[in-house]
Tab-separated table of all heavy atoms in Angstrom:
chain	number	residue	atom	x	y	z
S	13	MET	N	11.473	6.401	-6.228
S	13	MET	CA	10.315	5.966	-5.465
S	13	MET	C	10.663	4.635	-4.810
S	13	MET	O	11.322	3.800	-5.404
S	13	MET	CB	9.108	5.793	-6.384
S	13	MET	CG	7.900	5.263	-5.659
S	13	MET	SD	6.389	5.238	-6.640
S	13	MET	CE	6.837	4.211	-7.996
S	14	LYS	N	10.215	4.491	-3.580
S	14	LYS	CA	10.493	3.263	-2.853
S	14	LYS	C	9.183	2.531	-2.569
S	14	LYS	O	8.236	3.114	-2.050
S	14	LYS	CB	11.209	3.574	-1.544
S	14	LYS	CG	11.575	2.311	-0.802
S	14	LYS	CD	12.570	2.470	0.339
S	14	LYS	CE	12.568	3.719	1.106
S	14	LYS	NZ	13.454	3.727	2.269
S	15	LEU	N	9.165	1.254	-2.906
S	15	LEU	CA	8.045	0.380	-2.566
S	15	LEU	C	8.548	-0.574	-1.501
S	15	LEU	O	9.492	-1.324	-1.728
S	15	LEU	CB	7.573	-0.401	-3.802
S	15	LEU	CG	6.521	-1.469	-3.541
S	15	LEU	CD1	5.215	-0.838	-3.085
S	15	LEU	CD2	6.292	-2.310	-4.786
S	16	ARG	N	7.944	-0.478	-0.320
S	16	ARG	CA	8.321	-1.389	0.764
S	16	ARG	C	7.256	-2.457	0.881
S	16	ARG	O	6.088	-2.223	0.574
S	16	ARG	CB	8.407	-0.631	2.090
S	16	ARG	CG	9.543	0.358	2.125
S	16	ARG	CD	9.651	1.049	3.466
S	16	ARG	NE	8.547	1.986	3.667
S	16	ARG	CZ	7.752	1.978	4.731
S	16	ARG	NH1	7.911	1.095	5.693
S	16	ARG	NH2	6.789	2.868	4.848
S	17	PHE	N	7.651	-3.622	1.335
S	17	PHE	CA	6.672	-4.637	1.696
S	17	PHE	C	6.980	-5.054	3.122
S	17	PHE	O	8.073	-5.502	3.432
S	17	PHE	CB	6.573	-5.818	0.730
S	17	PHE	CG	7.779	-6.125	-0.107
S	17	PHE	CD1	8.504	-7.274	0.115
S	17	PHE	CD2	8.175	-5.274	-1.133
S	17	PHE	CE1	9.605	-7.581	-0.656
S	17	PHE	CE2	9.287	-5.578	-1.904
S	17	PHE	CZ	9.999	-6.722	-1.666
S	18	ARG	N	5.981	-4.803	3.948
S	18	ARG	CA	6.150	-5.049	5.378
S	18	ARG	C	6.080	-6.540	5.680
S	18	ARG	O	5.311	-7.263	5.050
S	18	ARG	CB	5.050	-4.343	6.175
S	18	ARG	CG	5.198	-2.868	6.181
S	18	ARG	CD	4.224	-2.265	7.150
S	18	ARG	NE	4.312	-0.814	7.106
S	18	ARG	CZ	3.302	-0.016	7.365
S	18	ARG	NH1	2.144	-0.519	7.711
S	18	ARG	NH2	3.465	1.275	7.301
S	19	GLU	N	6.837	-6.959	6.692
S	19	GLU	CA	6.768	-8.353	7.100
S	19	GLU	C	5.330	-8.684	7.496
S	19	GLU	O	4.719	-7.983	8.303
S	19	GLU	CB	7.710	-8.616	8.279
S	19	GLU	CG	7.736	-10.073	8.694
S	19	GLU	CD	8.751	-10.336	9.781
S	19	GLU	OE1	9.321	-9.377	10.322
S	19	GLU	OE2	8.978	-11.514	10.075
S	20	ASN	N	4.781	-9.703	6.890
S	20	ASN	CA	3.410	-10.170	7.174
S	20	ASN	C	2.367	-9.078	6.962
S	20	ASN	O	1.324	-9.084	7.619
S	20	ASN	CB	3.301	-10.712	8.604
S	20	ASN	CG	4.322	-11.774	8.889
S	20	ASN	OD1	4.704	-12.537	8.004
S	20	ASN	ND2	4.785	-11.832	10.123
S	21	GLY	N	2.659	-8.136	6.054
S	21	GLY	CA	1.732	-7.021	5.847
S	21	GLY	C	1.722	-6.513	4.425
S	21	GLY	O	2.140	-7.211	3.498
S	22	PRO	N	1.236	-5.289	4.251
S	22	PRO	CA	0.975	-4.740	2.919
S	22	PRO	C	2.209	-4.219	2.185
S	22	PRO	O	3.293	-4.118	2.748
S	22	PRO	CB	0.046	-3.562	3.229
S	22	PRO	CG	0.512	-3.086	4.562
S	22	PRO	CD	0.892	-4.343	5.316
S	23	TYR	N	2.000	-3.880	0.929
S	23	TYR	CA	2.940	-3.082	0.162
S	23	TYR	C	2.724	-1.640	0.585
S	23	TYR	O	1.575	-1.211	0.751
S	23	TYR	CB	2.652	-3.169	-1.344
S	23	TYR	CG	2.744	-4.545	-1.935
S	23	TYR	CD1	1.601	-5.216	-2.357
S	23	TYR	CD2	3.968	-5.158	-2.117
S	23	TYR	CE1	1.678	-6.471	-2.923
S	23	TYR	CE2	4.062	-6.417	-2.681
S	23	TYR	CZ	2.913	-7.074	-3.078
S	23	TYR	OH	2.992	-8.311	-3.629
S	24	VAL	N	3.781	-0.893	0.763
S	24	VAL	CA	3.656	0.501	1.198
S	24	VAL	C	4.465	1.404	0.277
S	24	VAL	O	5.660	1.185	0.071
S	24	VAL	CB	4.139	0.688	2.650
S	24	VAL	CG1	4.042	2.149	3.064
S	24	VAL	CG2	3.329	-0.180	3.594
S	25	LEU	N	3.796	2.384	-0.259
S	25	LEU	CA	4.452	3.422	-1.048
S	25	LEU	C	4.537	4.671	-0.193
S	25	LEU	O	3.532	5.113	0.371
S	25	LEU	CB	3.625	3.758	-2.293
S	25	LEU	CG	3.786	2.867	-3.499
S	25	LEU	CD1	2.712	3.203	-4.525
S	25	LEU	CD2	5.164	3.036	-4.097
S	26	ASP	N	5.728	5.233	-0.069
S	26	ASP	CA	5.904	6.488	0.660
S	26	ASP	C	5.835	7.619	-0.348
S	26	ASP	O	6.721	7.746	-1.200
S	26	ASP	CB	7.252	6.489	1.378
S	26	ASP	CG	7.309	5.445	2.473
S	26	ASP	OD1	6.412	5.455	3.330
S	26	ASP	OD2	8.238	4.624	2.451
S	27	LEU	N	4.801	8.404	-0.261
S	27	LEU	CA	4.581	9.520	-1.178
S	27	LEU	C	4.143	10.734	-0.364
S	27	LEU	O	3.595	10.584	0.722
S	27	LEU	CB	3.477	9.177	-2.186
S	27	LEU	CG	3.745	7.978	-3.102
S	27	LEU	CD1	2.463	7.550	-3.793
S	27	LEU	CD2	4.797	8.345	-4.120
S	28	PRO	N	4.339	11.926	-0.878
S	28	PRO	CA	3.888	13.109	-0.139
S	28	PRO	C	2.363	13.123	0.021
S	28	PRO	O	1.634	12.745	-0.898
S	28	PRO	CB	4.343	14.271	-1.025
S	28	PRO	CG	5.413	13.716	-1.896
S	28	PRO	CD	5.074	12.272	-2.101
S	29	GLU	N	1.928	13.553	1.223
S	29	GLU	CA	0.493	13.699	1.470
S	29	GLU	C	-0.101	14.610	0.402
S	29	GLU	O	0.494	15.616	0.042
S	29	GLU	CB	0.277	14.295	2.860
S	29	GLU	CG	-1.174	14.343	3.286
S	29	GLU	CD	-1.301	14.820	4.722
S	29	GLU	OE1	-0.430	14.483	5.552
S	29	GLU	OE2	-2.255	15.553	4.995
S	30	GLY	N	-1.243	14.254	-0.104
S	30	GLY	CA	-1.902	15.062	-1.129
S	30	GLY	C	-1.532	14.660	-2.547
S	30	GLY	O	-2.053	15.233	-3.503
S	31	THR	N	-0.639	13.662	-2.687
S	31	THR	CA	-0.259	13.209	-4.024
S	31	THR	C	-1.507	12.729	-4.767
S	31	THR	O	-2.273	11.924	-4.240
S	31	THR	CB	0.760	12.050	-3.935
S	31	THR	OG1	1.931	12.524	-3.302
S	31	THR	CG2	1.083	11.504	-5.311
S	32	PRO	N	-1.735	13.241	-5.975
S	32	PRO	CA	-2.912	12.781	-6.722
S	32	PRO	C	-2.693	11.384	-7.290
S	32	PRO	O	-1.578	11.003	-7.631
S	32	PRO	CB	-3.029	13.815	-7.844
S	32	PRO	CG	-1.670	14.368	-8.016
S	32	PRO	CD	-0.984	14.270	-6.688
S	33	PHE	N	-3.778	10.621	-7.332
S	33	PHE	CA	-3.746	9.319	-7.989
S	33	PHE	C	-5.132	9.041	-8.552
S	33	PHE	O	-6.109	9.716	-8.216
S	33	PHE	CB	-3.282	8.201	-7.049
S	33	PHE	CG	-4.230	7.881	-5.921
S	33	PHE	CD1	-5.072	6.780	-6.012
S	33	PHE	CD2	-4.257	8.651	-4.772
S	33	PHE	CE1	-5.935	6.454	-4.980
S	33	PHE	CE2	-5.112	8.341	-3.728
S	33	PHE	CZ	-5.954	7.246	-3.835
S	34	ARG	N	-5.210	8.082	-9.425
S	34	ARG	CA	-6.482	7.748	-10.052
S	34	ARG	C	-6.801	6.291	-9.746
S	34	ARG	O	-5.964	5.416	-9.929
S	34	ARG	CB	-6.399	7.948	-11.565
S	34	ARG	CG	-7.727	7.750	-12.263
S	34	ARG	CD	-7.631	8.043	-13.729
S	34	ARG	NE	-7.210	9.431	-13.911
S	34	ARG	CZ	-7.062	10.009	-15.078
S	34	ARG	NH1	-7.279	9.331	-16.179
S	34	ARG	NH2	-6.681	11.269	-15.157
S	35	LEU	N	-8.011	6.033	-9.256
S	35	LEU	CA	-8.450	4.672	-8.955
S	35	LEU	C	-9.748	4.423	-9.706
S	35	LEU	O	-10.750	5.112	-9.468
S	35	LEU	CB	-8.661	4.506	-7.444
S	35	LEU	CG	-9.212	3.159	-6.995
S	35	LEU	CD1	-8.239	2.020	-7.338
S	35	LEU	CD2	-9.499	3.174	-5.501
S	36	ASN	N	-9.720	3.470	-10.609
S	36	ASN	CA	-10.899	3.130	-11.419
S	36	ASN	C	-11.497	4.373	-12.075
S	36	ASN	O	-12.714	4.549	-12.099
S	36	ASN	CB	-11.945	2.410	-10.566
S	36	ASN	CG	-11.433	1.098	-10.017
S	36	ASN	OD1	-10.597	0.441	-10.640
S	36	ASN	ND2	-11.901	0.726	-8.846
S	37	GLY	N	-10.625	5.249	-12.570
S	37	GLY	CA	-11.060	6.437	-13.283
S	37	GLY	C	-11.407	7.614	-12.393
S	37	GLY	O	-11.701	8.703	-12.877
S	38	GLU	N	-11.383	7.397	-11.072
S	38	GLU	CA	-11.739	8.470	-10.130
S	38	GLU	C	-10.468	9.148	-9.613
S	38	GLU	O	-9.562	8.490	-9.107
S	38	GLU	CB	-12.513	7.883	-8.951
S	38	GLU	CG	-12.931	8.914	-7.925
S	38	GLU	CD	-13.630	8.277	-6.727
S	38	GLU	OE1	-14.135	7.150	-6.861
S	38	GLU	OE2	-13.636	8.918	-5.670
S	39	GLU	N	-10.423	10.475	-9.730
S	39	GLU	CA	-9.283	11.236	-9.231
S	39	GLU	C	-9.366	11.329	-7.706
S	39	GLU	O	-10.419	11.625	-7.148
S	39	GLU	CB	-9.293	12.655	-9.812
S	39	GLU	CG	-9.159	12.710	-11.304
S	39	GLU	CD	-7.747	12.408	-11.790
S	39	GLU	OE1	-6.795	12.529	-10.979
S	39	GLU	OE2	-7.606	12.041	-12.967
S	40	ARG	N	-8.245	11.036	-7.053
S	40	ARG	CA	-8.179	11.128	-5.594
S	40	ARG	C	-6.843	11.739	-5.184
S	40	ARG	O	-5.950	11.887	-5.996
S	40	ARG	CB	-8.281	9.737	-4.957
S	40	ARG	CG	-9.588	9.041	-5.175
S	40	ARG	CD	-9.596	7.790	-4.361
S	40	ARG	NE	-10.827	7.036	-4.522
S	40	ARG	CZ	-11.153	6.015	-3.759
S	40	ARG	NH1	-10.354	5.616	-2.804
S	40	ARG	NH2	-12.281	5.367	-3.954
S	41	ARG	N	-6.731	12.041	-3.913
S	41	ARG	CA	-5.464	12.517	-3.355
S	41	ARG	C	-5.177	11.733	-2.085
S	41	ARG	O	-6.091	11.409	-1.326
S	41	ARG	CB	-5.536	14.010	-3.018
S	41	ARG	CG	-5.579	14.862	-4.270
S	41	ARG	CD	-5.401	16.332	-3.948
S	41	ARG	NE	-5.395	17.094	-5.179
S	41	ARG	CZ	-4.311	17.362	-5.890
S	41	ARG	NH1	-3.131	16.946	-5.459
S	41	ARG	NH2	-4.387	18.050	-7.004
S	42	LEU	N	-3.897	11.448	-1.864
S	42	LEU	CA	-3.523	10.721	-0.659
S	42	LEU	C	-3.838	11.543	0.572
S	42	LEU	O	-3.489	12.709	0.649
S	42	LEU	CB	-2.032	10.404	-0.664
S	42	LEU	CG	-1.552	9.323	-1.608
S	42	LEU	CD1	-0.046	9.116	-1.416
S	42	LEU	CD2	-2.279	8.028	-1.359
S	43	GLU	N	-4.500	10.914	1.547
S	43	GLU	CA	-4.809	11.597	2.794
S	43	GLU	C	-3.661	11.485	3.786
S	43	GLU	O	-3.594	12.234	4.756
S	43	GLU	CB	-6.085	11.009	3.400
S	43	GLU	CG	-7.307	11.239	2.519
S	43	GLU	CD	-8.534	10.548	3.047
S	43	GLU	OE1	-8.494	9.966	4.142
S	43	GLU	OE2	-9.561	10.579	2.336
S	44	LYS	N	-2.790	10.515	3.564
S	44	LYS	CA	-1.622	10.315	4.424
S	44	LYS	C	-0.399	10.267	3.534
S	44	LYS	O	-0.497	10.143	2.325
S	44	LYS	CB	-1.744	8.995	5.196
S	44	LYS	CG	-2.939	8.922	6.101
S	44	LYS	CD	-2.992	7.570	6.773
S	44	LYS	CE	-4.222	7.453	7.664
S	44	LYS	NZ	-4.353	6.103	8.213
S	45	ALA	N	0.773	10.310	4.159
S	45	ALA	CA	2.022	10.270	3.406
S	45	ALA	C	2.424	8.839	3.077
S	45	ALA	O	3.574	8.570	2.804
S	45	ALA	CB	3.124	10.969	4.189
S	46	LYS	N	1.473	7.923	3.119
S	46	LYS	CA	1.728	6.535	2.769
S	46	LYS	C	0.516	5.984	2.017
S	46	LYS	O	-0.605	6.391	2.266
S	46	LYS	CB	1.905	5.666	4.016
S	46	LYS	CG	3.107	5.967	4.842
S	46	LYS	CD	3.177	4.968	5.977
S	46	LYS	CE	4.145	5.270	7.045
S	46	LYS	NZ	5.390	5.779	6.793
S	47	LEU	N	0.806	5.063	1.150
S	47	LEU	CA	-0.263	4.344	0.463
S	47	LEU	C	-0.009	2.868	0.733
S	47	LEU	O	1.001	2.312	0.292
S	47	LEU	CB	-0.213	4.643	-1.029
S	47	LEU	CG	-1.289	4.031	-1.907
S	47	LEU	CD1	-2.673	4.484	-1.467
S	47	LEU	CD2	-1.070	4.410	-3.351
S	48	ALA	N	-0.880	2.244	1.526
S	48	ALA	CA	-0.723	0.830	1.885
S	48	ALA	C	-1.665	-0.007	1.027
S	48	ALA	O	-2.879	0.168	1.076
S	48	ALA	CB	-1.022	0.626	3.360
S	49	LEU	N	-1.082	-0.894	0.249
S	49	LEU	CA	-1.849	-1.724	-0.676
S	49	LEU	C	-1.848	-3.173	-0.201
S	49	LEU	O	-0.814	-3.705	0.203
S	49	LEU	CB	-1.243	-1.638	-2.079
S	49	LEU	CG	-1.222	-0.234	-2.672
S	49	LEU	CD1	-0.406	-0.211	-3.960
S	49	LEU	CD2	-2.635	0.261	-2.934
S	50	CYS	N	-3.006	-3.776	-0.279
S	50	CYS	CA	-3.183	-5.145	0.216
S	50	CYS	C	-2.291	-6.137	-0.533
S	50	CYS	O	-2.245	-6.153	-1.753
S	50	CYS	CB	-4.646	-5.551	0.069
S	50	CYS	SG	-4.977	-7.220	0.659
S	51	ARG	N	-1.621	-6.956	0.232
S	51	ARG	CA	-0.789	-8.019	-0.326
S	51	ARG	C	-1.368	-9.386	0.005
S	51	ARG	O	-1.016	-10.375	-0.612
S	51	ARG	CB	0.636	-7.890	0.235
S	51	ARG	CG	1.625	-8.873	-0.330
S	51	ARG	CD	3.067	-8.445	-0.123
S	51	ARG	NE	3.501	-8.417	1.239
S	51	ARG	CZ	4.630	-8.973	1.674
S	51	ARG	NH1	5.425	-9.623	0.859
S	51	ARG	NH2	4.981	-8.861	2.922
S	52	CYS	N	-2.271	-9.436	0.988
S	52	CYS	CA	-2.801	-10.736	1.409
S	52	CYS	C	-4.014	-11.170	0.592
S	52	CYS	O	-4.393	-12.335	0.610
S	52	CYS	CB	-3.177	-10.696	2.888
S	52	CYS	SG	-4.673	-9.764	3.278
S	53	GLY	N	-4.651	-10.220	-0.085
S	53	GLY	CA	-5.820	-10.551	-0.900
S	53	GLY	C	-7.127	-10.607	-0.133
S	53	GLY	O	-8.164	-10.933	-0.690
S	54	GLN	N	-7.119	-10.274	1.158
S	54	GLN	CA	-8.322	-10.427	1.990
S	54	GLN	C	-8.931	-9.096	2.445
S	54	GLN	O	-9.929	-9.106	3.174
S	54	GLN	CB	-7.983	-11.271	3.228
S	54	GLN	CG	-7.432	-12.635	2.901
S	54	GLN	CD	-8.395	-13.474	2.087
S	54	GLN	OE1	-9.582	-13.545	2.394
S	54	GLN	NE2	-7.912	-14.069	1.011
S	55	SER	N	-8.376	-7.979	2.034
S	55	SER	CA	-8.896	-6.680	2.473
S	55	SER	C	-10.343	-6.489	2.032
S	55	SER	O	-10.728	-6.870	0.923
S	55	SER	CB	-8.038	-5.551	1.884
S	55	SER	OG	-8.622	-4.296	2.176
S	56	GLY	N	-11.127	-5.858	2.878
S	56	GLY	CA	-12.491	-5.494	2.526
S	56	GLY	C	-12.549	-4.151	1.831
S	56	GLY	O	-13.638	-3.670	1.508
S	57	ASN	N	-11.392	-3.548	1.613
S	57	ASN	CA	-11.315	-2.228	0.981
S	57	ASN	C	-10.227	-2.234	-0.101
S	57	ASN	O	-9.395	-1.340	-0.158
S	57	ASN	CB	-11.022	-1.155	2.036
S	57	ASN	CG	-11.102	0.242	1.484
S	57	ASN	OD1	-11.853	0.506	0.549
S	57	ASN	ND2	-10.335	1.161	2.058
S	58	LYS	N	-10.205	-3.275	-0.924
S	58	LYS	CA	-9.181	-3.395	-1.971
S	58	LYS	C	-9.251	-2.225	-2.932
S	58	LYS	O	-10.341	-1.737	-3.205
S	58	LYS	CB	-9.372	-4.694	-2.752
S	58	LYS	CG	-9.080	-5.919	-1.937
S	58	LYS	CD	-9.369	-7.148	-2.745
S	58	LYS	CE	-9.282	-8.367	-1.855
S	58	LYS	NZ	-10.039	-9.473	-2.324
S	59	PRO	N	-8.134	-1.756	-3.386
S	59	PRO	CA	-6.803	-2.338	-3.293
S	59	PRO	C	-6.044	-1.941	-2.029
S	59	PRO	O	-4.879	-2.257	-1.892
S	59	PRO	CB	-6.106	-1.786	-4.542
S	59	PRO	CG	-6.679	-0.409	-4.693
S	59	PRO	CD	-8.131	-0.564	-4.281
S	60	PHE	N	-6.721	-1.239	-1.116
S	60	PHE	CA	-6.033	-0.751	0.072
S	60	PHE	C	-6.013	-1.803	1.174
S	60	PHE	O	-6.910	-2.633	1.274
S	60	PHE	CB	-6.708	0.528	0.586
S	60	PHE	CG	-6.828	1.580	-0.475
S	60	PHE	CD1	-8.045	1.859	-1.056
S	60	PHE	CD2	-5.708	2.262	-0.918
S	60	PHE	CE1	-8.159	2.808	-2.064
S	60	PHE	CE2	-5.804	3.212	-1.917
S	60	PHE	CZ	-7.037	3.479	-2.490
S	61	CYS	N	-5.012	-1.709	2.025
S	61	CYS	CA	-4.923	-2.576	3.202
S	61	CYS	C	-5.870	-2.032	4.269
S	61	CYS	O	-5.897	-0.834	4.517
S	61	CYS	CB	-3.484	-2.573	3.720
S	61	CYS	SG	-3.275	-3.383	5.313
S	62	ASP	N	-6.648	-2.923	4.874
S	62	ASP	CA	-7.526	-2.502	5.972
S	62	ASP	C	-7.177	-3.216	7.279
S	62	ASP	O	-7.949	-3.176	8.234
S	62	ASP	CB	-8.996	-2.722	5.607
S	62	ASP	CG	-9.371	-4.183	5.498
S	62	ASP	OD1	-8.487	-5.054	5.636
S	62	ASP	OD2	-10.562	-4.464	5.280
S	63	GLY	N	-6.033	-3.874	7.317
S	63	GLY	CA	-5.579	-4.549	8.540
S	63	GLY	C	-6.020	-6.002	8.638
S	63	GLY	O	-5.635	-6.696	9.578
S	64	THR	N	-6.812	-6.474	7.703
S	64	THR	CA	-7.307	-7.851	7.759
S	64	THR	C	-6.180	-8.881	7.718
S	64	THR	O	-6.334	-9.992	8.229
S	64	THR	CB	-8.306	-8.108	6.603
S	64	THR	OG1	-9.382	-7.174	6.719
S	64	THR	CG2	-8.863	-9.519	6.637
S	65	HIS	N	-5.019	-8.502	7.156
S	65	HIS	CA	-3.897	-9.443	7.085
S	65	HIS	C	-3.542	-10.001	8.463
S	65	HIS	O	-3.101	-11.134	8.576
S	65	HIS	CB	-2.672	-8.781	6.420
S	65	HIS	CG	-2.184	-7.563	7.127
S	65	HIS	ND1	-2.655	-6.292	6.838
S	65	HIS	CD2	-1.284	-7.437	8.121
S	65	HIS	CE1	-2.037	-5.420	7.627
S	65	HIS	NE2	-1.204	-6.088	8.415
S	66	LYS	N	-3.761	-9.213	9.513
S	66	LYS	CA	-3.447	-9.686	10.873
S	66	LYS	C	-4.426	-10.773	11.289
S	66	LYS	O	-4.047	-11.768	11.901
S	66	LYS	CB	-3.523	-8.524	11.865
S	66	LYS	CG	-2.490	-7.447	11.617
S	66	LYS	CD	-2.713	-6.261	12.539
S	66	LYS	CE	-1.873	-5.087	12.091
S	66	LYS	NZ	-2.305	-3.844	12.725
S	67	GLU	N	-5.704	-10.582	10.953
S	67	GLU	CA	-6.736	-11.540	11.345
S	67	GLU	C	-6.584	-12.872	10.624
S	67	GLU	O	-6.892	-13.924	11.183
S	67	GLU	CB	-8.128	-10.969	11.056
S	67	GLU	CG	-8.439	-9.719	11.837
S	67	GLU	CD	-9.716	-9.033	11.359
S	67	GLU	OE1	-10.541	-9.698	10.703
S	67	GLU	OE2	-9.850	-7.830	11.631
S	68	VAL	N	-6.125	-12.816	9.372
S	68	VAL	CA	-6.036	-14.052	8.585
S	68	VAL	C	-4.662	-14.711	8.701
S	68	VAL	O	-4.439	-15.779	8.125
S	68	VAL	CB	-6.381	-13.807	7.098
S	68	VAL	CG1	-7.801	-13.275	6.966
S	68	VAL	CG2	-5.387	-12.874	6.432
S	69	GLY	N	-3.758	-14.080	9.437
S	69	GLY	CA	-2.443	-14.678	9.647
S	69	GLY	C	-1.566	-14.685	8.413
S	69	GLY	O	-0.743	-15.587	8.231
S	70	PHE	N	-1.713	-13.655	7.576
S	70	PHE	CA	-0.888	-13.573	6.369
S	70	PHE	C	0.588	-13.568	6.733
S	70	PHE	O	0.996	-12.912	7.690
S	70	PHE	CB	-1.239	-12.306	5.574
S	70	PHE	CG	-0.316	-12.074	4.410
S	70	PHE	CD1	-0.423	-12.849	3.266
S	70	PHE	CD2	0.667	-11.096	4.453
S	70	PHE	CE1	0.427	-12.648	2.190
S	70	PHE	CE2	1.525	-10.882	3.389
S	70	PHE	CZ	1.408	-11.666	2.254
S	71	GLN	N	1.371	-14.315	5.954
S	71	GLN	CA	2.812	-14.336	6.170
S	71	GLN	C	3.530	-13.975	4.887
S	71	GLN	O	3.191	-14.477	3.811
S	71	GLN	CB	3.266	-15.720	6.630
S	71	GLN	CG	2.732	-16.082	7.996
S	71	GLN	CD	3.267	-17.401	8.509
S	71	GLN	OE1	3.662	-18.265	7.741
S	71	GLN	NE2	3.292	-17.531	9.822
S	72	GLY	N	4.479	-13.068	5.007
S	72	GLY	CA	5.277	-12.660	3.854
S	72	GLY	C	6.520	-11.945	4.345
S	72	GLY	O	6.509	-11.311	5.403
S	73	GLU	N	7.572	-12.063	3.596
S	73	GLU	CA	8.831	-11.439	3.984
S	73	GLU	C	8.795	-9.926	3.798
S	73	GLU	O	8.071	-9.412	2.943
S	73	GLU	CB	9.971	-12.003	3.144
S	73	GLU	CG	10.269	-13.454	3.414
S	73	GLU	CD	11.441	-13.956	2.605
S	73	GLU	OE1	12.231	-13.131	2.101
S	73	GLU	OE2	11.564	-15.182	2.485
S	74	ALA	N	9.619	-9.247	4.580
S	74	ALA	CA	9.784	-7.804	4.426
S	74	ALA	C	10.815	-7.536	3.344
S	74	ALA	O	11.651	-8.392	3.033
S	74	ALA	CB	10.248	-7.188	5.743
S	75	GLY	N	10.740	-6.366	2.763
S	75	GLY	CA	11.735	-5.984	1.758
S	75	GLY	C	11.389	-4.645	1.161
S	75	GLY	O	10.469	-3.952	1.614
S	76	GLU	N	12.135	-4.270	0.165
S	76	GLU	CA	11.852	-3.006	-0.513
S	76	GLU	C	12.434	-3.033	-1.919
S	76	GLU	O	13.377	-3.759	-2.208
S	76	GLU	CB	12.402	-1.818	0.258
S	76	GLU	CG	13.910	-1.785	0.366
S	76	GLU	CD	14.397	-0.600	1.191
S	76	GLU	OE1	13.723	-0.211	2.147
S	76	GLU	OE2	15.465	-0.067	0.856
S	77	ILE	N	11.800	-2.249	-2.760
S	77	ILE	CA	12.276	-2.046	-4.125
S	77	ILE	C	12.461	-0.553	-4.301
S	77	ILE	O	11.547	0.229	-4.024
S	77	ILE	CB	11.240	-2.564	-5.159
S	77	ILE	CG1	11.028	-4.063	-4.999
S	77	ILE	CG2	11.702	-2.235	-6.573
S	77	ILE	CD1	9.873	-4.590	-5.841
S	78	LEU	N	13.648	-0.161	-4.706
S	78	LEU	CA	13.923	1.247	-4.943
S	78	LEU	C	13.977	1.475	-6.446
S	78	LEU	O	14.777	0.843	-7.143
S	78	LEU	CB	15.247	1.636	-4.291
S	78	LEU	CG	15.621	3.107	-4.339
S	78	LEU	CD1	14.561	3.960	-3.659
S	78	LEU	CD2	16.978	3.325	-3.692
S	79	VAL	N	13.092	2.351	-6.932
S	79	VAL	CA	13.029	2.653	-8.359
S	79	VAL	C	13.545	4.074	-8.557
S	79	VAL	O	13.006	5.012	-7.975
S	79	VAL	CB	11.582	2.543	-8.893
S	79	VAL	CG1	11.543	2.854	-10.370
S	79	VAL	CG2	11.022	1.160	-8.606
S	80	GLU	N	14.600	4.201	-9.333
S	80	GLU	CA	15.177	5.517	-9.587
S	80	GLU	C	14.829	5.937	-11.010
S	80	GLU	O	14.902	5.111	-11.919
S	80	GLU	CB	16.690	5.455	-9.400
S	80	GLU	CG	17.067	4.854	-8.067
S	80	GLU	CD	17.981	5.733	-7.254
S	80	GLU	OE1	18.311	6.827	-7.693
S	80	GLU	OE2	18.352	5.294	-6.166
S	81	PRO	N	14.442	7.197	-11.195
S	81	PRO	CA	14.073	7.637	-12.545
S	81	PRO	C	15.276	7.700	-13.484
S	81	PRO	O	16.379	7.774	-13.100
S	81	PRO	CB	13.508	9.035	-12.320
S	81	PRO	CG	13.957	9.458	-10.973
S	81	PRO	CD	14.314	8.228	-10.217
Z	106	FES	S1	-2.247	-6.757	3.413
Z	106	FES	FE1	-3.417	-5.738	4.852
Z	106	FES	S2	-5.448	-6.365	4.449
Z	106	FES	FE2	-4.254	-7.408	2.972
């Protein structure tokens, strides 16, 4: 699994569309083949990124972590 962190943006997990996950005890499925998680702390839809990082001028380096089973 690869966790990317976009320059000045969110953490992004690349997973197959429809991947099940649980949020606060609620079962959900990914609607897209990506899961973007807020890194700036300002999203109005936490833990997901809603684009607010652009408005607040969040700055952070790009990178990635590759986790192999
Ligand atoms: S990283 Fe996008 S809203 Fe926080």
Side-chain angles (χ1 to χ4, degrees):
M13 177 173 59
K14 183 166 32 174
L15 173 66
R16 293 183 289 127
F17 25 111
R18 290 189 183 151
E19 183 175 8
N20 306 327
Y23 299 110
V24 178
L25 277 170
D26 294 306
L27 299 166
E29 187 175 324
T31 298
F33 67 100
R34 186 176 300 182
L35 176 63
N36 298 330
E38 180 183 339
E39 297 286 340
R40 295 187 181 191
R41 289 190 178 271
L42 287 182
E43 296 174 5
K44 299 178 182 174
K46 294 184 192 320
L47 183 59
L49 300 171
C50 180
R51 184 161 66 131
C52 73
Q54 302 300 314
S55 173
N57 187 30
K58 292 177 189 155
F60 306 106
C61 171
D62 68 356
T64 302
H65 59 270
K66 296 174 192 165
E67 297 170 20
V68 300
F70 173 75
Q71 294 185 335
E73 293 182 18
E76 65 182 34
I77 298 171
L78 185 59
V79 180
E80 308 234 2

